[in-house]
Each structure stands twice: as C-alpha cells, then as structure tokens.
Amino acid sequence: YRFQITQQKYVVWMFPFPPPASYSGGIVSSELICAYSNACKDFEDHAKINLRELTQGTYYHNYIRDQAYHKVRHMNDFPYHIQAITMLALMLDNSDQKGGNVCVRTLGGRTEFCDNEAFSSYDPYEGNELNETHFPYEFFNDDPVSVNSTLSLAPRVMLTTEKFAMWYNGDISKDHCKHYNSGEDVQSFAGAAWLPFISELRKKKDVLRNYNGYYIGNAPMEGFFNVKDADFSYEKMKKITLTSIFLAGDSAKNGYSYLMNYTNRVDVFGSRSTKTDSQLKAMKIKSYFSACLTLTTDMQGAILTNDASLLKSHRYVFNDILKPNATKIPSSEEKTKIVFVDVVDISAVPKSVRESENAIFLKANMNADYPGCDETLPRYGYPYKLLSTYANQAKVVITSRIHAALPAAAMGVPVIFVENSGGEKKWLPGGKQGVGRVEGLLDMFHRVRREDNGKNWTLGDLTGDVPHSDGVHLADRYRASFWNKLKKTHYYRDSAKMFGMVPFQRLGRKNIEINIQDTFHFVLEKSDLTWQTKRAIEHVFYFHPNCKVYIHSNDIGPPHALETLTEAGYNLVVQTYDLDLLHTEELGDLPHKSHNNDFKLEVILPLILLRKMGGIYLSKETIVLKTISAGIEEGVVLQENGDIAMAYYGRESKDLLSSLQRIYIAKSKSIAETRHNLTWSFPVLSDVHTLQCIEDIKWDLGDDTKDKIAVGLHPSTYAAINTIKFETECYKIVEQLCIFCDEIHW
C-alpha cells in the first residue's frame, strides 16, 4: 500500500463495487489504481493506494484522517469525494515531475485530466451535498461539461449493490439534548471508520431487524435482538460483525437464540465488558473480552475557533470548526491543554492542575442550547469537536467518562481516569464502575481516587511530560484483536489500508521496560504456521511488547499468517538464512558437517543464529508465561526428543562457541542440556501430561511451576489437537494469555 509513482498516466477506481460491465477494458499504457480488491477482480493487475500518505501536506489530508466524520456528513456521496480527492492528489503530488504532469481519468472514461488547478474551487469541507462543494463532475462524465451533476461513469445505482449501516439513537427533542450522551456517537464513529461508506443510519434497537447489509456491532445492545425469523438467515448473519457488544439486564437471555446461532454459524464475538463475557460463557455461548472498538479511533481532528470566553466553561464546543487551511495543526510538542471531561470527583485532582491556565472543561452530554442538537447531522458535530480537542489540543485528558478515555488513549493522549471515591458500586457518569459498562476497561489508564491507598495522585502538576500508563500495552492487544477480526471482511480490510488506519502505531511503543529480554528467534517452515505456532509468538509479545521477534525461514513469504502482527504494530521480521554462510561466519574453519545425518538442523541452526545475533530461541511448542529478565544465565532446555525448547545466549558467546565445537568434533546428535543448572528452568511436559493439560480440568502444573517463565508442550501431542477444553490448565496458559483473542480454540 506504499504507493510509488512510476508512470504518468493513471486510471482510478476508488469505489467498493465493480464498474459497469461495459467498462471492463480500456486500460492502455496506464496503471489502474483500485481501492477495493473485489471491485477490480476482473482486471489482471491493479495497484492499491494509501490515501493518508498520498494526501500528506495537501488540503485534503484532514478529510482522509477524519473520514469517519465525513462519512456521516456525506453518506452515499462519500465515495465520489474519495474518487475526486484521489485523482486530485495524484496530480498535486506529481505536478513538478519532469516530463510533464501526471494525468488521471476515471475507469471507463475517455477524458484525461492533467491540471489540478482547474479544480481548485472544489472544497469537500464546504457543504454536505455535492452541489455545495464545487464538485468536479467532469471526472465522472464523458458528456459535455455543460451537462452538470451527471455521474454516468459511476452511476448512483451502483452504490446500492450492498448496504453499510451505522447505528444511531434516532431523533431527540430539544428538551432531551442536555441528557444526550455523545459517547453513543463516539462509538458510532468507531464503527463507521471501517466501512467503505454509510448508506443508512439505523436505530440501535432495530438495527438488525429486516436488514440485509453490512454492520459492525460495537455498542450496548439493550433491545438489540428485536429480530424476526428472517433475520436468522446465514446470508444476513455473515454480513454482521459483532466486535464489542455489551448486554445489560435480560438482553443476554432475550438474545440467546440469535447469539447462539451467530456463534455456531458465523463467528465468535467480542464482549465489551468482562461481565458480559462471563454472562455469555455461563450460557455456553463462546465469546471473548474484546474491550471497546473506540480503541481504534484514529483522527487528526479539526481546529476550532478560539473564543476566550468559552475556554473555561463547558461551552468550549460552541467554537466553530475551521477548514484545514485556516491554521496549522499543533505538533505533539505544541499540545498543551489539560482537558477535563465530566470528572466525577474533582477533589481527586490537585488544585494546581484544575486551575491551570491550560485547563479546558468539557461535557460528554450535549449542552441544552447546542445549535441543532435535535437534528441528526449537527448533533454529530458535537462528538467530533470533542474528539478533535483530544486529538490536536490535549496534552492529557482527565475524565470519568469511558468514551472520553478510550478514544483519547487510542489517539495517543495520556489519560487519567478519576474513579468515584465511594467505591466500586458507585456510579460514574456513564455507568457503574465495577458492574457493567466499564468493567475490565479501566486498567488501560492512570487511575486515581481521592483518599485511596494506591490510587492517590502521583503525577505532579502536569507541567512536564505526562507518560502513558503501562496499561496501553493492554490497549494494543485489544486493538490487534479488532484488526484480526475486521480484516476478515474484505471491505473493512481494504478501507483500513486505503485510509492508512493500518499498520497501527502501537500506543505502548514508548513505554519501554528496561532489563528484560528484547530479542527472540523462531526457526519455522511454512507448514509450521498453525494456530499453535501463532499462539507461541503471541505469548512472546504479550510479555515483551516492545521486543523484536525474528522468524528464520526459507519458505515463508508474504502474504502469510503472521502479517497481522506487523500490521498491529509489533516488531516481527521474517528473514531467510544460509546455513553454510552462517557456519563459515560463526565457526570459521571448523569442519562443516551440517548436511551429515549426524547433525540435526533443529539444534545446530538455532545455536548458530544465537551466536551471531544473541537473544532467546524458542520452539513453537514453548509457551512463555511471564516477562523474562535480561540477566538470566546462558543455557539450554531441551524437549524429550533432544530438540531445543528454549536457549539463551549472548551475541558471540564463548560458552556457546565451545558447545558448538564439542558438537562438531564429537559428532554428537544433540547439545548437552543445562536445565538443572539454570535458575530459569521450566517444565517440559510429556505426551501424557500435555494431554492432561489439554483435557483434564482437575490436572494442574503444580505450585512449584507457578513462577516459571515458560512451559514446553509435547510437540506431536500439541500439534494434533484442534481445541482445548474450557478451564483446563492449558486453556489458562494458551488461550487466556492471547493477543488475537478473537481466535478461540476451546
């Protein structure tokens, strides 16, 4: 998706559906740029494009960054704006290229456009209808320009091929404005970001009723399962992605039939609270704790007018949205505001902080007199202004609102969550703390509570850098799981890559723990890329999120099953190896016997790699169970068959060189195990114990293994299983310590 200009003529098709059948040809000496794979599947070759990169530095960049909001503004018109912006950005990006300007045309059209200045009046921020934006209809019409408002090359009927819905709460009255929680709409934006466009808004309580389109479920679902028998159709269900749902009261019981059918026929789904997850598991419905999809919020935000009279009041959002060329977006160093949002116990915050000249006070509930609060489109401007303030003004967000905390953290802003000093059962602005909506979500933030040991304010006056909580590593895992689930739907996968939503920048990339291991190695073949192997690699990143994992392989190439980890922001590298060259580099003139049957590649290669690069080698059956110190002794733990379960050696280790020399000189088939001399040794299970670990709820590893850094499972026994029994020891160590928790193997 990193697009490189290699030609001067481009044919562009950014719509999620194929062009009219008559347009199947006509690409000569031009490169086809196509956003959606299914839209151009009939063409032999086409290039993808990352619009975030392409529009960088242009007037249109903010439209791409904040595309979730602009989808709501423009609904079915949104794909036309994306097509126009792509064509203009290609011309803008290369207007000074030697040999003439880049020329573009719409797929199926005959007319080429080479001068971006001719369309300088086009402004996608200007209005909500195409006619209000000085829209370049010429891009979509081979007829004379005088025939305005014609879209013959991409007729509107094409956009009815599929439906893409976003939920909303319906119309509200003026009297209800002050009670309306904009956090509902923040959640809607999170789902909208992954859609190609929004074809309709559906009321939350009826979102699935009589609906046959695509929908991302990421919300509280009271009344959600108000469905008819026809809505149980597999053809309908398969278009529904339940990423992070919350069930209150009797919702789980009322929706049992739909949930069970969905799980059995389509996929497992994410629960937004640990309580919902426990409820569903008790009902024998497979689910996993997903946290909330708002953790994928990724906006640049708009700059607002700066009316000083609104700064210290809760009316800051009455400032107007400015266009991107009005003023510069602040850099991260220029973001100085301390943003308060509905803090439930302001006395938990030091006086020097709450009275800072940089403090801004906001409310998630709309002001009663907010302009247009009872109209759908103006109402969405309110949460957009909140998100914009977090994104480009906030140095830190202090809040007791979960849907202020989650999107702020997702956009890289440190969050201080102020809890109710009355205890777990007391209400926060968005729900009870220990029961319901926020259960399981707060560990991602700094947490403070007045007069509570362990949760008192320890962050000073916030004049210096405000660090992220280490809980952002949790957020990164949840984000990775969302991507792993959503990318299975090609529309969402292609949208995310086109808008530059992935690869993620991990939120915890700067929260580096010192004195722990940072380099790990696996030696794998393509046939090794099973779910078990993927879990073993996940466990490494689970406990060492900022480490680097090398996959040494001569037959694993892109695309492969491990790419999702790199797309989620983890540092995983697949690289080839040359054993003969490695031998020469590390062992010099020692007789090379690597191809002799006396030597096992599974032993020799990992050790030579450690000699060259240092770090920890793990077999694909070794499950890391805790963070591994940088100060452990060098040594090896072996599997029953003599292969290495885990080895640690420093770069250019003399002890390792001596061991390798002994192996070669003695022609030994294995390396001597040093398990009994290691403080970090761990159990390597036999075939019988591995089976018990997988199938017997009463079996456990024993108290003497609780602090071990890893456990080794029997290779062939572990590889042969498809599922692990719920609540067994292996369920706890393999399935619960996951990154891609959406992949359930129990």
Side-chain angles (χ1 to χ4, degrees):
Y1 281 78
R2 291 187 175 276
F3 185 76
Q4 297 288 329
I5 293 293
T6 58
Q7 299 189 34
Q8 290 181 280
K9 292 181 181 291
Y10 291 94
V11 177
V12 180
W13 190 256
M14 303 301 286
F15 296 90
F17 310 124
S22 59
Y23 297 168
S24 60
I27 302 176
V28 180
S29 69
S30 299
E31 182 171 358
L32 173 61
I33 295 173
C34 192
Y36 293 89
S37 299
N38 67 298
C40 293
K41 60 187 178 182
D42 292 335
F43 296 87
E44 290 186 4
D45 192 25
H46 60 270
K48 292 289 191 294
I49 197 165
N50 182 328
L51 284 182
R52 179 178 297 195
E53 291 184 355
L54 183 66
T55 60
Q56 184 71 45
T58 74
Y59 183 63
Y60 310 115
H61 185 66
N62 183 262
Y63 190 93
I64 301 302
R65 286 295 307 269
D66 295 358
Q67 43 91 12
Y69 170 64
H70 295 297
K71 283 173 185 169
V72 179
R73 288 180 58 233
H74 287 146
M75 298 291 286
N76 285 293
D77 286 343
F78 181 79
Y80 294 102
H81 287 288
I82 293 301
Q83 174 79 6
I85 286 171
T86 303
M87 295 173 72
L88 289 167
L90 284 167
M91 289 188 278
L92 280 167
D93 193 51
N94 302 281
S95 58
D96 60 349
Q97 184 171 323
K98 292 181 179 179
N101 293 348
V102 165
C103 296
V104 297
R105 61 185 171 94
T106 296
L107 179 61
R110 298 183 300 274
T111 306
E112 288 187 337
F113 302 91
C114 310
D115 180 14
N116 61 279
E117 289 295 328
F119 308 99
S120 59
S121 62
Y122 166 59
D123 189 347
Y125 308 98
E126 182 62 33
N128 299 324
E129 304 296 331
L130 287 183
N131 288 332
E132 298 171 341
T133 65
H134 299 282
F135 189 74
Y137 286 99
E138 298 95 320
F139 290 169
F140 303 87
N141 179 21
D142 271 335
D143 295 330
V145 176
S146 59
V147 183
N148 201 6
S149 303
T150 302
L151 301 165
S152 59
L153 298 180
R156 287 191 178 277
V157 67
M158 177 187 66
L159 295 185
T160 64
T161 304
E162 290 285 3
K163 298 176 183 177
F164 299 97
M166 184 181 85
W167 67 268
Y168 81 125
N169 279 307
D171 298 329
I172 62 174
S173 66
K174 281 275 189 184
D175 293 338
H176 186 66
C177 284
K178 64 181 179 181
H179 303 295
Y180 184 78
N181 177 11
S182 65
E184 300 274 294
D185 299 329
V186 170
Q187 294 175 81
S188 293
F189 284 151
W194 300 86
L195 304 177
F197 65 98
I198 299 169
S199 57
E200 60 183 286
L201 301 177
R202 295 183 64 85
K203 291 183 179 179
K204 183 166 62 173
K205 66 183 183 67
D206 294 321
V207 69
L208 296 185
R209 188 180 178 89
N210 297 323
Y211 179 61
N212 62 353
Y214 285 84
Y215 172 74
I216 296 174
N218 62 308
M221 296 191 175
E222 298 91 339
F224 187 88
F225 301 102
N226 182 21
V227 292
K228 294 183 176 181
D229 289 345
D231 298 316
F232 284 76
S233 158
Y234 173 73
E235 291 303 312
K236 289 186 176 183
M237 278 188 167
K238 71 179 183 180
K239 296 180 181 180
I240 307 301
T241 303
L242 301 181
T243 59
S244 50
I245 67 171
F246 170 73
L247 301 172
D250 293 327
S251 295
K253 293 179 182 178
N254 296 339
Y256 176 83
S257 181
Y258 186 93
L259 290 169
M260 184 60 79
N261 270 276
Y262 183 90
T263 303
N264 291 336
R265 300 171 65 192
V266 182
D267 200 1
V268 297
F269 53 85
S271 299
R272 205 191 75 183
S273 78
T274 53
K275 181 180 179 180
T276 297
D277 187 40
S278 298
Q279 275 184 302
L280 294 170
K281 285 185 169 74
M283 297 169 66
K284 308 300 182 186
I285 298 174
K286 287 188 176 182
S287 73
Y288 60 96
F289 175 58
S290 62
C292 183
L293 189 64
T294 48
L295 281 171
T296 62
T297 302
D298 182 21
M299 286 187 174
Q300 183 183 59
I303 295 292
L304 307 183
T305 54
N306 192 18
D307 185 338
S309 67
L310 303 175
L311 189 61
K312 288 289 184 180
S313 71
H314 291 99
R315 299 174 65 83
Y316 181 81
V317 291
F318 281 68
N319 280 300
D320 295 326
I321 296 173
L322 296 173
K323 292 183 181 180
N325 60 353
T327 187
K328 183 182 176 184
I329 295 284
S331 66
S332 57
E333 294 77 17
E334 294 169 332
K335 293 165 61 175
T336 60
K337 301 302 181 184
I338 300 171
V339 178
F340 290 80
V341 187
D342 294 336
V343 176
V344 71
D345 189 352
I346 197 68
S347 64
V349 181
K351 184 178 180 181
S352 62
V353 174
R354 60 182 188 259
E355 293 185 357
S356 168
E357 64 179 3
N358 289 316
I360 297 176
F361 294 86
L362 305 175
K363 286 183 177 180
N365 281 9
M366 282 197 300
N367 298 64
D369 57 343
Y370 183 78
C373 70
D374 58 339
E375 302 173 47
T376 300
L377 192 54
R379 195 173 77 210
Y380 279 105
Y382 190 97
Y384 179 56
K385 290 178 182 180
L386 293 179
L387 293 172
S388 294
T389 305
Y390 311 156
N392 61 52
Q393 298 294 324
K395 174 182 184 177
V396 61
V397 168
I398 304 175
T399 186
S400 302
R401 281 278 190 184
I402 196 64
H403 284 108
L406 290 169
M411 294 185 290
V413 181
V415 172
I416 302 169
F417 198 94
V418 179
E419 303 178 43
N420 193 315
S421 61
E424 294 295 314
K425 302 299 182 183
K426 293 293 184 180
W427 282 90
L428 296 173
K432 284 185 180 179
Q433 179 162 328
V435 182
R437 289 169 171 80
V438 302
E439 189 174 346
L441 297 172
L442 301 187
D443 289 339
M444 291 179 279
F445 320 120
H446 295 293
R447 298 171 66 176
V448 298
R449 183 190 295 169
R450 178 171 51 87
E451 298 174 357
D452 183 8
N453 291 334
K455 291 183 182 176
N456 287 330
W457 187 277
T458 60
L459 298 163
D461 61 5
L462 304 184
T463 55
D465 290 336
V466 181
H468 286 280
S469 161
D470 284 337
V472 290
H473 293 308
L474 281 171
D476 283 329
R477 296 202 291 268
Y478 301 142
R479 283 154 52 94
S481 193
F482 282 128
W483 169 233
N484 193 51
K485 187 174 187 67
L486 288 163
K487 71 179 292 188
K488 295 171 186 174
T489 301
H490 62 85
Y491 289 119
Y492 308 155
R493 180 179 64 248
D494 288 341
S495 290
K497 293 191 173 184
M498 174 179 66
F499 293 122
M501 296 167 64
V502 291
F504 289 151
Q505 274 205 326
R506 282 194 316 103
L507 305 175
R509 65 191 182 279
K510 295 181 180 179
N511 284 43
I512 299 173
E513 187 176 353
I514 61 174
N515 297 323
I516 68 171
Q517 294 290 334
D518 60 5
T519 305
F520 292 82
H521 304 268
F522 290 84
V523 176
L524 302 173
E525 296 179 355
K526 192 172 184 178
S527 59
D528 294 324
L529 296 184
T530 61
W531 70 263
Q532 291 95 330
T533 300
K534 195 173 179 181
R535 273 287 191 261
I537 298 169
E538 288 176 49
H539 276 66
V540 174
F541 285 121
Y542 187 101
F543 292 103
H544 310 82
N546 287 310
C547 77
K548 189 170 189 175
V549 172
Y550 290 94
I551 307 298
H552 303 275
S553 177
N554 285 336
D555 69 347
I556 297 175
H560 54 72
L562 303 178
E563 284 184 334
T564 308
L565 280 164
T566 59
E567 292 165 343
Y570 292 98
N571 192 357
L572 181 142
V573 176
V574 178
Q575 64 180 32
T576 59
Y577 62 86
D578 184 327
L579 183 56
D580 293 334
L581 180 60
L582 285 169
H583 177 276
T584 301
E585 290 176 345
E586 300 305 318
L587 299 177
D589 297 331
L590 200 66
H592 188 1
K593 302 288 186 179
S594 64
H595 299 297
N596 188 297
N597 289 333
D598 288 337
F599 296 88
K600 292 185 71 174
L601 180 64
E602 293 85 352
V603 173
I604 295 299
L605 179 56
L607 295 179
I608 295 179
L609 288 169
L610 292 182
R611 165 76 182 164
K612 179 180 177 65
M613 304 176 72
I616 288 178
Y617 165 80
L618 294 167
S619 76
K620 62 184 186 294
E621 300 84 22
T622 300
I623 307 300
V624 174
L625 300 179
K626 62 185 297 186
T627 302
I628 303 175
S629 167
I632 63 173
E633 315 99 299
E634 293 186 332
V636 178
V637 172
L638 297 180
Q639 297 173 335
E640 277 188 343
N641 63 1
D643 292 346
I644 299 173
M646 174 175 160
Y648 168 67
Y649 286 100
R651 187 177 178 187
E652 298 182 354
S653 167
K654 293 181 179 179
D655 287 346
L656 179 53
L657 179 60
S658 299
S659 296
L660 285 166
Q661 289 171 337
R662 286 196 299 272
I663 292 173
Y664 275 87
I665 293 171
K667 295 185 179 181
S668 171
K669 293 185 179 181
S670 65
I671 188 170
E673 184 174 40
T674 57
R675 182 194 313 194
H676 301 297
N677 299 321
L678 298 173
T679 59
W680 54 267
S681 179
F682 56 85
V684 177
L685 304 187
S686 66
D687 55 348
V688 173
H689 286 157
T690 297
L691 202 58
Q692 288 177 309
C693 181
I694 292 167
E695 296 182 348
D696 188 349
I697 294 176
K698 297 180 180 179
W699 186 89
D700 64 45
L701 286 168
D703 292 338
D704 60 333
T705 64
K706 296 300 183 185
D707 293 326
K708 299 300 183 183
I709 63 172
V711 62
L713 301 177
H714 188 267
S716 60
T717 305
Y718 185 42
I721 62 109
N722 293 317
T723 57
I724 296 172
K725 192 169 184 178
F726 183 56
E727 293 188 336
T728 59
E729 191 80 348
C730 272
Y731 166 79
K732 296 171 186 175
I733 64 176
V734 174
E735 285 294 282
Q736 287 192 320
L737 304 177
C738 52
I739 290 179
F740 300 126
C741 299
D742 59 296
E743 296 183 357
I744 289 179
H745 309 290
W746 49 270

